[in-house]
Amino acid sequence: MEKLYLLVPLAPLMGAIIAGLFGRFIGTIWSHRTTISLVFISLIASLIIFFDTYQGNTYNGSVYTWMVLGDIHLEIGFLIDLLTATMMVVVTLVSLMVHIYTIGYMHGDPGYQRFFSYISLFTFSMLMLVMSNNFLQLFFGWEAVGLVSYLLIGFWYTRPTAIYANLKAFLVNRVGDFGFLLGIALVLMYFGTLDYEIVFAHANHMASHFIEIIPGQSWMLMTVICLLLFVGAMGKSAQFPLHVWLPDSMEGPTPISALIHAATMVTAGIFMVARMSPLFELSETALSTILVIGAITTLFMALVAVVQNDIKRVVAFSTLSQLGYMTVALGASAYSIAIFHLMTHAFFKAVLFLGAGSVIIAMHHEQDMRQMGGLKKYMPITYWTMFIAALASAGVPGFSGFFSKDAIIEAAKFANIPGAGFAYFCVLATVFVTALYTFRLMFLTFHGDTRMDDHTRDHLHESPWVVTVPLIVLAVPTVAAGWLIGTMVFGDYFAGAIQILPVHEAVAKLEAEFTGVIGMMLHAFSTAPFWLSLGGILTAWFLYLYKTEWPGKIKRLSGPIYTLLDRKYFIDEIYSWVFAGGTRALGSALWKIGDVKIIDGFFVNGTARVVALTASVARRFQSGYIYHYAFTMIGGIFILMSLWLYYF
């Protein structure tokens, strides 16, 4: 099986190399054939590994020793358990669908081969991240997905907005990655190794260890490590306040929105915290911080989605909100539920992103929903697959999102972590908001009167099969993936991969109340989340199909509130003023004071002025008169004699 483990990440890497270096020679057709075939091989290998792991065959071993520093071994290795195997299947399946979809979406683009190379390279990077058995390889995958994300967001590099967006993503993630690197450095410093197994085995022993970051101020070592690691997760998984890069990343082609911002890179932080559960369980402070940040992200990003008019930005802010749900689950020590929602969300959000891309193709790259309407009759496959995904996103019973989202809400309710009450309110309120913005998107795009120009309307048609087939394939798990809740969340599915202390009872209490898939669906009709979801759907119908003049009136009446949401709480402006403006002010001060006045004014020009002054004085003695020279000689002899008499 070891060779099969190697095949999973190396197959996409080979595809990236072939398409990237030889794409111009093999052409567009063979570029996508090669990369798709190799990702398909990776998916088949992942499925074989998954079923083998499900039988109880786990693996933890080194593949390559990169460096040895004393007793520290820096290695490349794989840890294969059900947590890893699940992520491998999700990543390769979504990646394969995105590769196929890209044939239609990127047709005719001059960077066609380059795009296939990038998305294959991204798949390799993400697989190396989730398969790692040590912090070094985790960091390699972490940085690699960030690099390829930068390349993909700025894929259309002739657009200033794309360059701004990828630079913004890169800089914000550098902030998170700096904290992440410090956390790994602390692990190496105090544990003496980067190997997961050894670190986790000694975690309990280090739980009572304290360090002084500031002299006289003691901090629990495990809390510092976990908070620093979570700073990295905040950047990658776009949690408040490091969330600002993700909405702007929609400047990249739509396929990467589905691959990176729904199923893979943005979930890396969620996966990392779940993998590090033996560490996070030992710090209630870290768990409480995660819980509160996730709750803030969940509700406040969902509210912003309500006022967005760009179809991709609605889905982007929805992604932020759903990542907040996962983060709340992590903070409640419900790691299995977080990974379960990660999986269901990957499927229904990929459908929403790819469906949005299908609409954009039909609309000749118009993304404003106010210019759409009535597309249902022109694009039935896109409509029905997106409708299924919308039901899952809104948490309608029977669809995948319902099972994972309701489980997170109940976990927040049962959690005994500080901040759980606030988190429960946020995730519950977000149910209504999610249903509202999701069906606002559906009604504005597919229902009502057509609002596009005549030329666009005359050329409307369903997207080609390379676009619709991935939508249909991903719609299947969008419906059915949630039915696995009993196995994945409440069984021993993640036994050995995830650790939960007995004092954290949220999952145990949920398991005690779980009555099966059908029972959970029937019980939902008597719970608040169902009625909030239904209320959100009906509100969207009332405002955007029945009383269509009301949204404009509400916008005028709500004035400052609408502006606050439309400007995304002015966070971008604050960051621009404080950090960008502060950096410019510091640079200006260093230039005007440090460079102009001190370096140039004092050292460079000052030295010249001293020389000039000395020369002007000395020049007075070079008059050409003998008595001036004699006077100078006598003065010099007098000074020398005075010095000699003084010292000798």
Side-chain angles (χ1 to χ4, degrees):
M1 292 294 288
E2 290 185 23
K3 292 182 179 179
L4 201 61
Y5 300 149
L6 280 169
L7 181 63
V8 173
L10 291 183
L13 177 62
M14 189 181 302
I17 293 171
I18 293 172
L21 298 181
F22 307 106
R24 67 175 65 183
F25 305 110
I26 63 177
T28 57
I29 294 176
W30 279 103
S31 290
H32 72 237
R33 283 179 180 175
T34 302
T35 51
I36 289 172
S37 298
L38 288 167
V39 171
F40 179 72
I41 290 171
S42 183
L43 171 61
I44 296 301
S46 297
L47 287 169
I48 294 171
I49 292 168
F50 174 82
F51 288 114
D52 181 66
T53 308
Y54 192 71
Q55 299 299 319
N57 300 315
T58 60
Y59 174 82
N60 183 15
S62 173
V63 174
Y64 169 71
T65 299
W66 177 51
M67 187 184 296
V68 177
L69 300 171
D71 295 330
I72 301 171
H73 290 253
L74 303 179
E75 300 173 334
I76 303 299
F78 296 142
L79 171 58
I80 309 297
D81 52 22
L82 277 173
L83 176 58
T84 300
T86 301
M87 290 295 296
M88 288 163 61
V89 172
V90 171
V91 170
T92 52
L93 175 59
V94 174
S95 177
L96 178 63
M97 294 301 105
V98 168
H99 274 73
I100 296 171
Y101 178 94
T102 298
I103 297 173
Y105 192 89
M106 299 297 290
H107 178 72
D109 193 285
Y112 190 86
Q113 295 97 313
R114 178 165 57 93
F115 189 81
F116 273 96
S117 175
Y118 285 172
I119 58 177
S120 288
L121 183 61
F122 181 86
T123 306
F124 158 75
S125 303
M126 190 66 191
L127 288 168
M128 288 296 287
L129 188 156
V130 301
M131 295 173 70
S132 62
N133 73 342
N134 61 82
F135 285 92
L136 174 69
Q137 186 175 330
L138 175 70
F139 187 71
F140 164 77
W142 196 268
E143 292 303 307
V145 294
L147 171 63
V148 185
S149 171
Y150 169 81
L151 295 173
L152 285 166
I153 294 169
F155 181 80
W156 287 318
Y157 53 83
T158 56
R159 301 180 182 179
T161 51
I163 297 303
Y164 173 80
N166 75 345
L167 184 61
K168 185 176 182 180
F170 190 80
L171 291 175
V172 172
N173 274 277
R174 294 289 65 73
V175 175
D177 293 354
F178 179 65
F180 188 60
L181 185 59
L182 289 178
I184 294 175
L186 275 180
V187 169
L188 180 60
M189 180 178 177
Y190 285 94
F191 288 86
T193 182
L194 294 176
D195 186 270
Y196 290 165
E197 187 175 25
I198 300 173
V199 171
F200 295 163
H202 291 82
N204 283 323
H205 174 70
M206 300 298 291
S208 58
H209 195 85
F210 286 81
I211 60 173
E212 287 190 5
I213 301 175
I214 301 172
Q217 298 291 324
S218 294
W219 285 69
M220 199 170 118
L221 172 65
M222 209 56 65
T223 295
V224 177
I225 289 175
C226 291
L227 288 176
L228 288 172
L229 292 176
F230 182 64
V231 169
M234 288 168 62
K236 277 289 180 290
S237 294
Q239 294 298 288
F240 175 85
L242 299 182
H243 66 283
V244 293
W245 65 271
L246 193 143
D248 288 343
S249 69
M250 297 301 108
E251 287 294 333
T254 298
I256 66 114
S257 300
L259 181 63
I260 293 179
H261 308 127
T264 50
M265 190 185 94
V266 293
T267 61
I270 308 300
F271 166 80
M272 184 273 293
V273 175
R275 173 61 77 194
M276 301 299 150
S277 60
L279 304 182
F280 281 87
E281 280 296 284
L282 300 173
S283 174
E284 190 169 90
T285 301
L287 290 176
S288 180
T289 302
I290 293 170
L291 191 66
V292 172
I293 288 177
I296 292 171
T297 307
T298 301
L299 179 57
F300 289 91
M301 295 305 109
L303 290 170
V304 176
V306 175
V307 301
Q308 298 299 307
N309 295 310
D310 185 314
I311 187 171
K312 283 178 66 177
R313 283 185 173 265
V314 174
V315 186
F317 279 100
S318 171
T319 301
L320 286 172
S321 180
Q322 297 300 317
L323 288 166
Y325 267 107
M326 299 174 211
T327 305
V328 167
L330 294 173
S333 287
Y335 306 98
S336 58
I337 300 176
I339 296 298
F340 184 56
H341 191 55
L342 182 158
M343 180 187 73
T344 61
H345 172 262
F347 296 130
F348 70 71
K349 191 54 60 69
V351 172
L352 288 174
F353 267 123
L354 296 180
S358 178
V359 169
I360 291 168
I361 293 172
M363 291 291 299
H364 302 290
H365 293 276
E366 173 62 66
Q367 297 182 196
D368 192 334
M369 297 184 296
R370 293 170 296 184
Q371 306 302 320
M372 299 179 187
L375 294 181
K376 177 183 176 182
K377 61 183 177 182
Y378 299 102
M379 310 181 71
I381 298 175
T382 300
Y383 170 74
W384 286 109
T385 51
M386 286 191 72
F387 184 72
I388 290 170
L391 292 173
S393 179
V396 174
F399 295 85
S400 61
F402 155 74
F403 295 100
S404 54
K405 191 180 293 186
D406 271 33
I408 291 173
I409 294 169
E410 291 300 303
K413 178 182 177 181
F414 289 133
N416 54 1
I417 306 292
F422 172 71
Y424 177 66
F425 166 77
C426 288
V427 294
L428 191 60
T430 305
V431 173
F432 173 84
V433 184
T434 301
L436 173 60
Y437 69 66
T438 303
F439 278 86
R440 172 179 178 265
L441 181 153
M442 293 300 297
F443 294 146
L444 283 176
T445 304
F446 293 101
H447 294 268
D449 298 328
T450 55
R451 298 181 294 277
M452 69 286 297
D453 58 71
D454 293 337
H455 174 76
T456 302
R457 181 166 50 249
D458 292 341
H459 291 82
L460 284 174
H461 59 83
E462 183 60 270
S463 297
W465 70 269
V466 288
V467 173
T468 56
V469 167
L471 287 171
I472 295 169
V473 172
L474 290 169
V476 174
T478 295
V479 176
W483 303 344
L484 299 173
I485 185 170
T487 302
M488 290 188 66
V489 174
F490 301 123
D492 57 356
Y493 185 85
F494 290 120
I498 289 174
Q499 297 181 25
I500 302 177
L501 295 180
V503 69
H504 299 145
E505 303 174 336
V507 176
K509 289 181 177 179
L510 268 173
E511 185 175 2
E513 294 191 359
F514 182 65
T515 57
V517 171
I518 302 299
M520 186 175 179
M521 291 167 58
L522 294 174
H523 176 68
F525 294 105
S526 63
T527 62
F530 169 76
W531 294 105
L532 286 170
S533 177
L534 182 62
I537 295 171
L538 292 176
T539 302
W541 169 82
F542 183 82
L543 292 175
Y544 298 101
L545 286 184
Y546 184 59
K547 293 287 187 180
T548 55
E549 71 279 7
W550 279 37
K553 294 179 180 178
I554 294 172
K555 176 182 176 180
R556 289 191 295 272
L557 290 173
S558 60
I561 297 176
Y562 179 87
T563 302
L564 183 68
L565 295 176
D566 186 51
R567 300 295 290 273
K568 303 181 286 291
Y569 310 108
F570 295 95
I571 294 175
D572 282 327
E573 287 81 357
I574 292 171
Y575 284 179
S576 178
W577 182 71
V578 174
F579 296 110
T583 303
R584 287 193 296 268
L586 177 62
S588 178
L590 290 173
W591 164 51
K592 292 180 179 178
I593 298 174
D595 192 14
V596 175
K597 291 188 177 180
I598 297 177
I599 296 175
D600 285 347
F602 181 76
F603 289 106
V604 178
N605 297 331
T607 303
R609 281 193 291 269
V610 169
V611 172
L613 179 63
T614 305
S616 67
V617 173
R619 190 166 55 244
R620 296 180 181 276
F621 295 98
Q622 304 296 322
S623 63
Y625 295 108
I626 294 176
Y627 60 86
H628 282 172
Y629 296 147
F631 176 76
T632 302
M633 292 172 62
I634 293 169
I637 292 170
F638 177 76
I639 292 172
L640 289 173
M641 291 294 294
S642 299
L643 291 173
W644 185 80
L645 290 173
Y646 180 79
Y647 286 106
F648 300 101

